[in-house]
Amino acid sequence: MADASFAHRLPKAELHLHIEGTFEPELIFEIAERNKVTVPYPSVDALRRAYEFSDLQSFLNLYYDAMAVLRTEQDFADLAHAYLARAKGQGVVHAEIFFDPQAHTARGIPYEVVSDGLWSALRESERRYGISSKLILCFLRDLTAESAMQTLETALRHHGDRIVAVGLDSAEVGHPPTKFRHVFERARAEGLLTVAHAGEEGPPEYVWEALDVLKVSRVDHGVRSLEDPKLVARLRDEKIPLTVCPFSNVKLRVVDTLRDHPLARMLELGLHATVNSDDPAYFGGYVGDNLAGVADALALDDGTLATLARNSFTASFIDAPTRDRYLSRVAEA
Ligand code: ADE
Ligand code: ZN
């Protein structure tokens, strides 16, 4: 069995991380106080005790409520700095970070405030934390395609070059990837890469659509792909990476326990799986903790953990020379 310290110190890329999902209760209360807004929980402990979820929607309700205290550029910068500092302690050397602009613009926070705040932290990330980073703009799939298109146009006008890709998140079932066909076409025409949450709670058909319609470079989650052998063959043959989030899958009841998690089976099937933290402030751990957790629960050896770390870099959107430097660091770990 691999020891936790190896899982933590292995150099790794985090590819599935919602910055709003790194909002720890202590920082929620600190920022709420600064902005003179109230959190609908009496204390940090009471808030943390509320982190019991029955499914994705029950989590999203709390997630959107909590992020509503974020108002200023400084708030978004503080959020990103807090994540990067923690990520450093988890062996993260590269992070591709999701953000949900519509969850903020819908509350009257201008897109520029979100983007400039996050960027002020990310532009210092390499120097301060030794972490290279990229931003992925996610559309909320339970809002309309028109709202997503407007968000994309705003993002393209305001430092479009800060974004490497667009993604799709929020409530999956009932909101298939095809709903966003034109938005993703427009994004690709502007040179952006595409990813999408698919096969988390939604059926394998959504994963097919993400590939065929949205032309994604990676599938976020994708665990339900295993229900469809033809899809597994496609993902394997085309080496499509899956950004798997074990703690998230347990907390949101996609699987019963970590011991039931299909990660090991995915690797055995030849899938390009990576391990990620999704919303670590809510799901009980950051990416090194996720890796240590599956190592223990699924009896993964150090060689398998190193494979997962290598997979994270080969699935990332970094340039080839940087990727190769990171791969050498895995070999030396
Ligand atoms: N937004 C934040 N976390 C998410 C998840 N696990 N699935 C879908 N949308 C999300
Ligand atoms: Zn996610």
Side-chain angles (χ1 to χ4, degrees):
M1 199 180 301
D3 62 297
S5 62
F6 183 67
H8 283 89
R9 75 167 183 271
L10 254 182
K12 58 186 76 67
E14 168 114 273
L15 306 177
H16 185 153
L17 181 278
H18 302 264
I19 196 67
E20 295 91 345
T22 70
F23 205 5
E24 293 283 347
E26 290 78 4
L27 190 58
I28 293 175
F29 272 86
E30 188 185 318
I31 290 182
E33 218 158 277
R34 186 162 83 193
N35 290 340
K36 305 199 173 4
V37 294
T38 48
V39 180
Y41 292 87
S43 67
V44 163
D45 286 344
L47 176 55
R48 202 170 255 124
R49 276 198 299 275
Y51 293 1
E52 288 294 332
F53 310 113
S54 52
D55 58 10
L56 174 57
Q57 189 61 56
S58 67
F59 156 68
L60 291 171
N61 295 340
L62 192 66
Y63 168 79
Y64 292 126
D65 275 356
M67 72 174 79
V69 308
L70 296 165
R71 300 278 162 98
T72 68
E73 219 176 286
Q74 187 65 52
D75 299 342
F76 288 94
D78 289 353
L79 177 67
H81 275 297
Y83 163 67
L84 292 163
R86 276 188 180 262
K88 181 177 182 203
Q90 300 266 325
V92 174
V93 295
H94 177 72
E96 302 191 350
I97 299 174
F98 296 140
F99 71 120
D100 284 337
Q102 291 159 291
H104 311 298
T105 54
R107 306 183 281 112
I109 311 299
Y111 177 85
E112 296 75 17
V113 168
V114 182
S115 171
D116 291 351
L118 295 176
W119 196 251
S120 81
L122 296 191
R123 73 169 167 245
E124 294 187 3
S125 175
E126 195 126 27
R127 184 178 58 78
R128 278 181 65 169
Y129 308 100
I131 298 176
S132 53
S133 62
K134 295 188 182 292
L135 265 182
I136 299 177
L137 185 164
C138 279
F139 303 114
L140 303 186
R141 67 200 307 157
D142 41 355
L143 302 185
T144 63
E146 290 71 29
S147 169
M149 190 67 98
Q150 264 179 20
T151 304
L152 175 60
E153 297 300 348
T154 303
L156 291 171
R157 277 195 306 273
H158 184 78
H159 298 286
D161 57 341
R162 287 178 182 170
I163 290 162
V164 69
V166 295
L168 198 58
D169 65 3
S170 201
E172 185 182 7
V173 174
H175 303 284
T178 302
K179 176 175 166 187
F180 297 92
R181 176 194 296 269
H182 299 298
V183 182
F184 275 60
E185 274 169 8
R186 171 97 179 94
R188 292 199 311 277
E190 288 292 327
L192 292 167
L193 297 166
T194 63
V195 297
H197 284 53
E200 180 186 19
E201 284 190 346
E205 288 71 34
Y206 285 18
V207 179
W208 284 105
E209 285 185 24
L211 296 170
D212 291 332
V213 180
L214 305 185
K215 318 271 187 217
V216 296
S217 302
R218 299 194 291 250
V219 174
D220 295 315
H221 293 294
V223 283
R224 287 199 57 196
S225 305
L226 296 185
E227 295 168 25
D228 179 345
K230 283 207 176 72
L231 178 57
V232 170
R234 164 100 183 261
L235 292 166
R236 183 195 59 220
D237 294 347
E238 296 187 11
K239 300 183 172 54
I240 307 284
L242 304 172
T243 63
V244 178
C245 306
F247 283 11
S248 166
N249 293 153
V250 174
K251 278 294 212 174
L252 302 187
R253 316 258 182 111
V254 170
V255 299
D256 289 335
T257 73
L258 213 49
R259 284 175 177 273
D260 303 306
H261 198 281
L263 176 73
R265 191 148 49 92
M266 295 170 100
L267 293 172
E268 281 159 24
L269 287 165
L271 295 174
H272 192 129
T274 66
V275 167
N276 305 272
S277 69
D278 206 2
D279 301 285
Y282 294 93
F283 298 156
Y286 286 73
V287 63
D289 307 325
N290 269 265
L291 210 52
V294 287
D296 187 29
L298 305 176
L300 306 181
D301 60 19
D302 285 359
T304 307
L305 297 188
T307 297
L308 287 162
R310 276 195 302 277
N311 284 357
S312 74
F313 294 113
T314 51
S316 78
F317 295 145
I318 38 186
D319 60 79
T322 312
R323 181 200 60 208
D324 291 345
R325 274 199 303 280
Y326 285 142
L327 289 173
S328 314
R329 287 173 63 179
V330 175
E332 289 157 11

Short mmCIF file of all heavy atoms in Angstrom, two decimals, residues 225-279:
data_model
loop_
_atom_site.label_atom_id
_atom_site.label_comp_id
_atom_site.label_asym_id
_atom_site.label_seq_id
_atom_site.Cartn_x
_atom_site.Cartn_y
_atom_site.Cartn_z
N SER A 225 -19.44 6.48 -17.87
CA SER A 225 -19.04 5.92 -19.17
C SER A 225 -18.90 4.41 -19.09
O SER A 225 -19.08 3.69 -20.09
CB SER A 225 -17.70 6.49 -19.64
OG SER A 225 -17.75 7.89 -19.68
N LEU A 226 -18.56 3.93 -17.89
CA LEU A 226 -18.31 2.49 -17.72
C LEU A 226 -19.56 1.65 -18.00
O LEU A 226 -19.45 0.44 -18.21
CB LEU A 226 -17.80 2.21 -16.30
CG LEU A 226 -16.44 2.82 -15.94
CD1 LEU A 226 -16.00 2.36 -14.57
CD2 LEU A 226 -15.38 2.47 -16.97
N GLU A 227 -20.73 2.28 -18.00
CA GLU A 227 -21.97 1.55 -18.29
C GLU A 227 -22.10 1.20 -19.77
O GLU A 227 -23.01 0.46 -20.15
CB GLU A 227 -23.18 2.40 -17.86
CG GLU A 227 -23.24 2.65 -16.38
CD GLU A 227 -24.27 3.72 -16.00
OE1 GLU A 227 -25.24 3.94 -16.77
OE2 GLU A 227 -24.10 4.35 -14.94
N ASP A 228 -21.22 1.76 -20.61
CA ASP A 228 -21.36 1.60 -22.06
C ASP A 228 -20.02 1.12 -22.65
O ASP A 228 -19.10 1.93 -22.86
CB ASP A 228 -21.77 2.97 -22.65
CG ASP A 228 -21.92 2.93 -24.16
OD1 ASP A 228 -21.45 1.96 -24.80
OD2 ASP A 228 -22.49 3.89 -24.70
N PRO A 229 -19.91 -0.18 -22.93
CA PRO A 229 -18.63 -0.73 -23.41
C PRO A 229 -18.13 -0.07 -24.71
O PRO A 229 -16.92 0.09 -24.88
CB PRO A 229 -18.94 -2.21 -23.64
CG PRO A 229 -20.15 -2.50 -22.82
CD PRO A 229 -20.93 -1.23 -22.75
N LYS A 230 -19.04 0.32 -25.58
CA LYS A 230 -18.60 0.98 -26.83
C LYS A 230 -17.97 2.35 -26.53
O LYS A 230 -17.02 2.78 -27.17
CB LYS A 230 -19.80 1.18 -27.77
CG LYS A 230 -20.25 -0.06 -28.51
CD LYS A 230 -20.91 0.34 -29.85
CE LYS A 230 -21.28 -0.87 -30.68
NZ LYS A 230 -22.42 -1.60 -30.09
N LEU A 231 -18.53 3.01 -25.55
CA LEU A 231 -17.99 4.32 -25.14
C LEU A 231 -16.62 4.14 -24.49
O LEU A 231 -15.68 4.91 -24.76
CB LEU A 231 -18.97 5.00 -24.18
CG LEU A 231 -18.55 6.36 -23.62
CD1 LEU A 231 -18.25 7.37 -24.74
CD2 LEU A 231 -19.65 6.91 -22.70
N VAL A 232 -16.49 3.12 -23.67
CA VAL A 232 -15.19 2.84 -23.05
C VAL A 232 -14.14 2.61 -24.14
O VAL A 232 -13.03 3.16 -24.07
CB VAL A 232 -15.28 1.61 -22.11
CG1 VAL A 232 -13.90 1.16 -21.65
CG2 VAL A 232 -16.16 1.93 -20.90
N ALA A 233 -14.51 1.85 -25.17
CA ALA A 233 -13.56 1.57 -26.27
C ALA A 233 -13.18 2.87 -26.98
O ALA A 233 -12.01 3.10 -27.31
CB ALA A 233 -14.18 0.57 -27.24
N ARG A 234 -14.18 3.71 -27.20
CA ARG A 234 -13.91 4.99 -27.87
C ARG A 234 -12.95 5.86 -27.04
O ARG A 234 -11.97 6.42 -27.55
CB ARG A 234 -15.24 5.72 -28.07
CG ARG A 234 -15.13 7.21 -28.41
CD ARG A 234 -15.31 7.45 -29.89
NE ARG A 234 -15.15 8.85 -30.24
CZ ARG A 234 -16.16 9.69 -30.44
NH1 ARG A 234 -17.41 9.29 -30.31
NH2 ARG A 234 -15.92 10.93 -30.80
N LEU A 235 -13.24 5.99 -25.74
CA LEU A 235 -12.41 6.82 -24.86
C LEU A 235 -10.98 6.28 -24.80
O LEU A 235 -10.02 7.04 -24.80
CB LEU A 235 -13.02 6.87 -23.45
CG LEU A 235 -14.36 7.61 -23.33
CD1 LEU A 235 -15.03 7.30 -21.99
CD2 LEU A 235 -14.20 9.11 -23.50
N ARG A 236 -10.89 4.95 -24.77
CA ARG A 236 -9.56 4.31 -24.70
C ARG A 236 -8.81 4.51 -26.02
O ARG A 236 -7.67 4.98 -26.03
CB ARG A 236 -9.73 2.81 -24.41
CG ARG A 236 -8.41 2.06 -24.25
CD ARG A 236 -8.63 0.57 -24.32
NE ARG A 236 -9.24 0.22 -25.60
CZ ARG A 236 -10.21 -0.69 -25.76
NH1 ARG A 236 -10.67 -1.35 -24.71
NH2 ARG A 236 -10.72 -0.96 -26.94
N ASP A 237 -9.48 4.23 -27.14
CA ASP A 237 -8.81 4.29 -28.44
C ASP A 237 -8.38 5.72 -28.78
O ASP A 237 -7.34 5.94 -29.39
CB ASP A 237 -9.71 3.74 -29.54
CG ASP A 237 -9.96 2.24 -29.36
OD1 ASP A 237 -9.24 1.63 -28.53
OD2 ASP A 237 -10.87 1.69 -30.01
N GLU A 238 -9.21 6.68 -28.39
CA GLU A 238 -8.88 8.08 -28.71
C GLU A 238 -8.11 8.76 -27.58
O GLU A 238 -7.83 9.95 -27.66
CB GLU A 238 -10.16 8.85 -29.04
CG GLU A 238 -10.82 8.32 -30.31
CD GLU A 238 -12.00 9.16 -30.78
OE1 GLU A 238 -12.22 10.28 -30.27
OE2 GLU A 238 -12.71 8.68 -31.68
N LYS A 239 -7.79 7.97 -26.54
CA LYS A 239 -6.99 8.49 -25.41
C LYS A 239 -7.57 9.78 -24.85
O LYS A 239 -6.86 10.76 -24.59
CB LYS A 239 -5.53 8.71 -25.82
CG LYS A 239 -4.83 7.46 -26.31
CD LYS A 239 -3.38 7.75 -26.63
CE LYS A 239 -2.58 6.51 -26.94
NZ LYS A 239 -3.13 5.64 -28.00
N ILE A 240 -8.90 9.78 -24.67
CA ILE A 240 -9.56 10.98 -24.10
C ILE A 240 -9.39 10.94 -22.58
O ILE A 240 -9.85 10.00 -21.93
CB ILE A 240 -11.08 10.98 -24.41
CG1 ILE A 240 -11.35 10.80 -25.91
CG2 ILE A 240 -11.76 12.22 -23.82
CD1 ILE A 240 -11.12 11.99 -26.76
N PRO A 241 -8.75 11.96 -22.01
CA PRO A 241 -8.60 11.95 -20.56
C PRO A 241 -9.92 12.17 -19.82
O PRO A 241 -10.80 12.90 -20.30
CB PRO A 241 -7.66 13.14 -20.29
CG PRO A 241 -7.00 13.42 -21.60
CD PRO A 241 -8.03 13.08 -22.65
N LEU A 242 -10.02 11.53 -18.66
CA LEU A 242 -11.17 11.71 -17.78
C LEU A 242 -10.65 12.33 -16.48
O LEU A 242 -9.71 11.79 -15.87
CB LEU A 242 -11.82 10.36 -17.46
CG LEU A 242 -12.26 9.53 -18.67
CD1 LEU A 242 -12.71 8.14 -18.22
CD2 LEU A 242 -13.40 10.22 -19.40
N THR A 243 -11.23 13.43 -16.07
CA THR A 243 -10.80 14.06 -14.82
C THR A 243 -11.71 13.56 -13.70
O THR A 243 -12.79 14.07 -13.46
CB THR A 243 -10.85 15.60 -14.90
OG1 THR A 243 -12.19 16.03 -15.12
CG2 THR A 243 -9.96 16.12 -16.03
N VAL A 244 -11.25 12.51 -13.05
CA VAL A 244 -12.05 11.80 -12.05
C VAL A 244 -11.84 12.46 -10.67
O VAL A 244 -10.73 12.91 -10.36
CB VAL A 244 -11.62 10.31 -12.02
CG1 VAL A 244 -12.39 9.54 -10.96
CG2 VAL A 244 -11.80 9.69 -13.40
N CYS A 245 -12.90 12.52 -9.89
CA CYS A 245 -12.87 13.20 -8.58
C CYS A 245 -13.43 12.27 -7.51
O CYS A 245 -14.64 12.30 -7.21
CB CYS A 245 -13.69 14.48 -8.65
SG CYS A 245 -13.20 15.58 -10.00
N PRO A 246 -12.58 11.42 -6.93
CA PRO A 246 -13.08 10.35 -6.04
C PRO A 246 -13.85 10.86 -4.82
O PRO A 246 -14.94 10.36 -4.53
CB PRO A 246 -11.79 9.62 -5.63
CG PRO A 246 -10.83 9.88 -6.74
CD PRO A 246 -11.13 11.27 -7.21
N PHE A 247 -13.29 11.82 -4.06
CA PHE A 247 -14.00 12.29 -2.84
C PHE A 247 -15.35 12.90 -3.23
O PHE A 247 -16.35 12.71 -2.54
CB PHE A 247 -13.18 13.35 -2.09
CG PHE A 247 -12.03 12.80 -1.28
CD1 PHE A 247 -11.61 11.48 -1.41
CD2 PHE A 247 -11.35 13.62 -0.38
CE1 PHE A 247 -10.54 10.98 -0.66
CE2 PHE A 247 -10.28 13.13 0.38
CZ PHE A 247 -9.87 11.82 0.23
N SER A 248 -15.38 13.63 -4.33
CA SER A 248 -16.63 14.24 -4.81
C SER A 248 -17.67 13.16 -5.08
O SER A 248 -18.83 13.27 -4.69
CB SER A 248 -16.33 15.03 -6.09
OG SER A 248 -17.52 15.36 -6.77
N ASN A 249 -17.25 12.10 -5.75
CA ASN A 249 -18.19 11.03 -6.12
C ASN A 249 -18.79 10.36 -4.89
O ASN A 249 -19.95 9.94 -4.91
CB ASN A 249 -17.50 9.98 -7.00
CG ASN A 249 -17.09 10.50 -8.37
OD1 ASN A 249 -16.14 9.99 -8.97
ND2 ASN A 249 -17.79 11.50 -8.89
N VAL A 250 -18.01 10.27 -3.81
CA VAL A 250 -18.56 9.70 -2.57
C VAL A 250 -19.51 10.71 -1.92
O VAL A 250 -20.64 10.37 -1.58
CB VAL A 250 -17.42 9.31 -1.59
CG1 VAL A 250 -18.00 8.85 -0.26
CG2 VAL A 250 -16.54 8.22 -2.20
N LYS A 251 -19.07 11.96 -1.79
CA LYS A 251 -19.88 12.98 -1.10
C LYS A 251 -21.20 13.24 -1.81
O LYS A 251 -22.20 13.52 -1.17
CB LYS A 251 -19.09 14.29 -1.00
CG LYS A 251 -18.12 14.33 0.15
CD LYS A 251 -18.88 14.31 1.48
CE LYS A 251 -18.18 15.07 2.58
NZ LYS A 251 -19.00 15.15 3.79
N LEU A 252 -21.19 13.15 -3.15
CA LEU A 252 -22.42 13.43 -3.91
C LEU A 252 -23.17 12.14 -4.27
O LEU A 252 -24.07 12.14 -5.11
CB LEU A 252 -22.11 14.26 -5.17
CG LEU A 252 -21.42 15.60 -4.88
CD1 LEU A 252 -21.31 16.45 -6.14
CD2 LEU A 252 -22.14 16.39 -3.79
N ARG A 253 -22.72 11.04 -3.65
CA ARG A 253 -23.43 9.75 -3.75
C ARG A 253 -23.48 9.17 -5.17
O ARG A 253 -24.45 8.51 -5.54
CB ARG A 253 -24.85 9.86 -3.19
CG ARG A 253 -24.93 10.62 -1.87
CD ARG A 253 -25.07 9.64 -0.70
NE ARG A 253 -25.19 10.36 0.55
CZ ARG A 253 -26.29 10.42 1.29
NH1 ARG A 253 -27.37 9.78 0.90
NH2 ARG A 253 -26.31 11.09 2.41
N VAL A 254 -22.44 9.47 -5.94
CA VAL A 254 -22.30 8.82 -7.25
C VAL A 254 -21.83 7.38 -7.01
O VAL A 254 -22.21 6.46 -7.74
CB VAL A 254 -21.29 9.61 -8.14
CG1 VAL A 254 -20.92 8.85 -9.40
CG2 VAL A 254 -21.88 10.98 -8.49
N VAL A 255 -21.00 7.20 -5.98
CA VAL A 255 -20.63 5.86 -5.51
C VAL A 255 -20.86 5.81 -4.00
O VAL A 255 -20.92 6.85 -3.34
CB VAL A 255 -19.14 5.50 -5.82
CG1 VAL A 255 -18.87 5.52 -7.32
CG2 VAL A 255 -18.17 6.44 -5.10
N ASP A 256 -21.02 4.60 -3.45
CA ASP A 256 -21.36 4.48 -2.03
C ASP A 256 -20.18 4.82 -1.12
O ASP A 256 -20.33 5.57 -0.15
CB ASP A 256 -21.84 3.05 -1.72
CG ASP A 256 -23.22 2.79 -2.33
OD1 ASP A 256 -23.96 3.78 -2.54
OD2 ASP A 256 -23.54 1.62 -2.59
N THR A 257 -19.03 4.24 -1.42
CA THR A 257 -17.84 4.48 -0.58
C THR A 257 -16.62 4.53 -1.51
O THR A 257 -16.70 4.14 -2.68
CB THR A 257 -17.59 3.33 0.43
OG1 THR A 257 -17.10 2.18 -0.30
CG2 THR A 257 -18.86 2.95 1.19
N LEU A 258 -15.51 5.00 -0.95
CA LEU A 258 -14.29 5.09 -1.75
C LEU A 258 -13.84 3.69 -2.22
O LEU A 258 -13.28 3.55 -3.31
CB LEU A 258 -13.20 5.75 -0.89
CG LEU A 258 -12.17 6.62 -1.60
CD1 LEU A 258 -12.81 7.62 -2.54
CD2 LEU A 258 -11.30 7.34 -0.57
N ARG A 259 -14.12 2.68 -1.41
CA ARG A 259 -13.75 1.31 -1.80
C ARG A 259 -14.52 0.84 -3.03
O ARG A 259 -14.08 -0.07 -3.74
CB ARG A 259 -14.01 0.34 -0.64
CG ARG A 259 -12.98 0.42 0.43
CD ARG A 259 -13.37 -0.47 1.61
NE ARG A 259 -12.33 -0.44 2.63
CZ ARG A 259 -11.27 -1.24 2.63
NH1 ARG A 259 -11.12 -2.15 1.70
NH2 ARG A 259 -10.36 -1.12 3.58
N ASP A 260 -15.68 1.46 -3.28
CA ASP A 260 -16.49 1.09 -4.45
C ASP A 260 -16.14 1.92 -5.67
O ASP A 260 -16.77 1.79 -6.71
CB ASP A 260 -17.99 1.31 -4.14
CG ASP A 260 -18.43 0.54 -2.93
OD1 ASP A 260 -18.21 -0.67 -2.92
OD2 ASP A 260 -18.98 1.16 -1.98
N HIS A 261 -15.16 2.82 -5.51
CA HIS A 261 -14.89 3.73 -6.63
C HIS A 261 -14.27 3.00 -7.82
O HIS A 261 -13.37 2.17 -7.64
CB HIS A 261 -13.97 4.89 -6.19
CG HIS A 261 -14.04 6.02 -7.15
ND1 HIS A 261 -13.36 6.01 -8.35
CD2 HIS A 261 -14.78 7.15 -7.14
CE1 HIS A 261 -13.67 7.11 -9.01
NE2 HIS A 261 -14.53 7.83 -8.31
N PRO A 262 -14.73 3.31 -9.05
CA PRO A 262 -14.26 2.57 -10.22
C PRO A 262 -12.90 3.03 -10.77
O PRO A 262 -12.49 2.58 -11.85
CB PRO A 262 -15.36 2.82 -11.26
CG PRO A 262 -15.92 4.14 -10.90
CD PRO A 262 -15.82 4.25 -9.40
N LEU A 263 -12.17 3.90 -10.05
CA LEU A 263 -10.90 4.41 -10.60
C LEU A 263 -9.95 3.29 -11.04
O LEU A 263 -9.38 3.33 -12.14
CB LEU A 263 -10.21 5.32 -9.58
CG LEU A 263 -8.83 5.81 -10.03
CD1 LEU A 263 -8.95 6.87 -11.11
CD2 LEU A 263 -8.03 6.35 -8.85
N ALA A 264 -9.76 2.28 -10.18
CA ALA A 264 -8.80 1.22 -10.52
C ALA A 264 -9.27 0.47 -11.77
O ALA A 264 -8.47 0.14 -12.65
CB ALA A 264 -8.65 0.25 -9.34
N ARG A 265 -10.60 0.25 -11.84
CA ARG A 265 -11.15 -0.44 -13.02
C ARG A 265 -10.93 0.40 -14.27
O ARG A 265 -10.61 -0.12 -15.36
CB ARG A 265 -12.65 -0.69 -12.80
CG ARG A 265 -13.28 -1.61 -13.82
CD ARG A 265 -14.41 -2.44 -13.21
NE ARG A 265 -15.35 -1.63 -12.45
CZ ARG A 265 -16.48 -1.09 -12.95
NH1 ARG A 265 -16.78 -1.29 -14.21
NH2 ARG A 265 -17.29 -0.38 -12.19
N MET A 266 -11.08 1.70 -14.15
CA MET A 266 -10.87 2.58 -15.30
C MET A 266 -9.44 2.43 -15.83
O MET A 266 -9.21 2.35 -17.03
CB MET A 266 -11.16 4.04 -14.91
CG MET A 266 -12.61 4.28 -14.54
SD MET A 266 -12.92 5.90 -13.80
CE MET A 266 -13.55 6.76 -15.21
N LEU A 267 -8.48 2.39 -14.91
CA LEU A 267 -7.08 2.24 -15.32
C LEU A 267 -6.87 0.87 -15.97
O LEU A 267 -6.19 0.75 -17.00
CB LEU A 267 -6.14 2.42 -14.13
CG LEU A 267 -6.10 3.84 -13.54
CD1 LEU A 267 -5.29 3.85 -12.24
CD2 LEU A 267 -5.53 4.85 -14.53
N GLU A 268 -7.47 -0.16 -15.38
CA GLU A 268 -7.33 -1.52 -15.95
C GLU A 268 -7.91 -1.59 -17.36
O GLU A 268 -7.42 -2.32 -18.21
CB GLU A 268 -8.06 -2.53 -15.07
CG GLU A 268 -7.27 -2.93 -13.82
CD GLU A 268 -8.17 -3.49 -12.72
OE1 GLU A 268 -9.28 -3.99 -13.05
OE2 GLU A 268 -7.76 -3.41 -11.55
N LEU A 269 -8.97 -0.82 -17.59
CA LEU A 269 -9.60 -0.80 -18.92
C LEU A 269 -8.81 0.02 -19.94
O LEU A 269 -9.19 0.12 -21.10
CB LEU A 269 -11.03 -0.23 -18.81
CG LEU A 269 -12.06 -1.14 -18.15
CD1 LEU A 269 -13.31 -0.35 -17.77
CD2 LEU A 269 -12.43 -2.30 -19.07
N GLY A 270 -7.72 0.63 -19.48
CA GLY A 270 -6.88 1.39 -20.40
C GLY A 270 -7.33 2.83 -20.58
O GLY A 270 -6.89 3.51 -21.51
N LEU A 271 -8.19 3.30 -19.67
CA LEU A 271 -8.65 4.69 -19.78
C LEU A 271 -7.61 5.64 -19.19
O LEU A 271 -6.90 5.31 -18.25
CB LEU A 271 -9.99 4.86 -19.05
CG LEU A 271 -11.16 4.08 -19.67
CD1 LEU A 271 -12.40 4.18 -18.80
CD2 LEU A 271 -11.45 4.61 -21.08
N HIS A 272 -7.58 6.84 -19.76
CA HIS A 272 -6.63 7.87 -19.32
C HIS A 272 -7.26 8.66 -18.16
O HIS A 272 -7.76 9.77 -18.33
CB HIS A 272 -6.31 8.80 -20.49
CG HIS A 272 -5.15 9.71 -20.23
ND1 HIS A 272 -4.09 9.83 -21.10
CD2 HIS A 272 -4.87 10.54 -19.21
CE1 HIS A 272 -3.22 10.70 -20.61
NE2 HIS A 272 -3.68 11.14 -19.46
N ALA A 273 -7.27 8.02 -16.99
CA ALA A 273 -7.90 8.65 -15.82
C ALA A 273 -6.89 9.52 -15.06
O ALA A 273 -5.70 9.20 -15.00
CB ALA A 273 -8.45 7.57 -14.89
N THR A 274 -7.39 10.62 -14.52
CA THR A 274 -6.60 11.48 -13.64
C THR A 274 -7.40 11.66 -12.34
O THR A 274 -8.61 11.50 -12.34
CB THR A 274 -6.34 12.85 -14.27
OG1 THR A 274 -7.59 13.56 -14.41
CG2 THR A 274 -5.70 12.72 -15.65
N VAL A 275 -6.70 12.01 -11.26
CA VAL A 275 -7.37 12.22 -9.97
C VAL A 275 -7.36 13.71 -9.63
O VAL A 275 -6.33 14.38 -9.76
CB VAL A 275 -6.69 11.40 -8.86
CG1 VAL A 275 -7.16 11.83 -7.47
CG2 VAL A 275 -6.99 9.91 -9.06
N ASN A 276 -8.51 14.19 -9.20
CA ASN A 276 -8.70 15.63 -8.96
C ASN A 276 -9.60 15.83 -7.76
O ASN A 276 -10.19 14.88 -7.23
CB ASN A 276 -9.35 16.26 -10.21
CG ASN A 276 -8.55 15.98 -11.46
OD1 ASN A 276 -7.65 16.72 -11.81
ND2 ASN A 276 -8.86 14.87 -12.13
N SER A 277 -9.76 17.12 -7.35
CA SER A 277 -10.50 17.35 -6.10
C SER A 277 -11.87 18.00 -6.28
O SER A 277 -12.64 18.06 -5.32
CB SER A 277 -9.65 18.18 -5.14
OG SER A 277 -9.49 19.49 -5.60
N ASP A 278 -12.19 18.56 -7.44
CA ASP A 278 -13.51 19.12 -7.75
C ASP A 278 -13.81 20.35 -6.87
O ASP A 278 -13.58 21.48 -7.30
CB ASP A 278 -14.59 18.03 -7.59
CG ASP A 278 -15.83 18.29 -8.45
OD1 ASP A 278 -15.85 19.29 -9.20
OD2 ASP A 278 -16.78 17.49 -8.37
N ASP A 279 -14.33 20.12 -5.67
CA ASP A 279 -14.68 21.22 -4.74
C ASP A 279 -14.12 20.87 -3.37
O ASP A 279 -14.87 20.48 -2.45
CB ASP A 279 -16.21 21.36 -4.68
CG ASP A 279 -16.81 21.65 -6.04
OD1 ASP A 279 -16.66 22.79 -6.52
OD2 ASP A 279 -17.38 20.72 -6.65
#
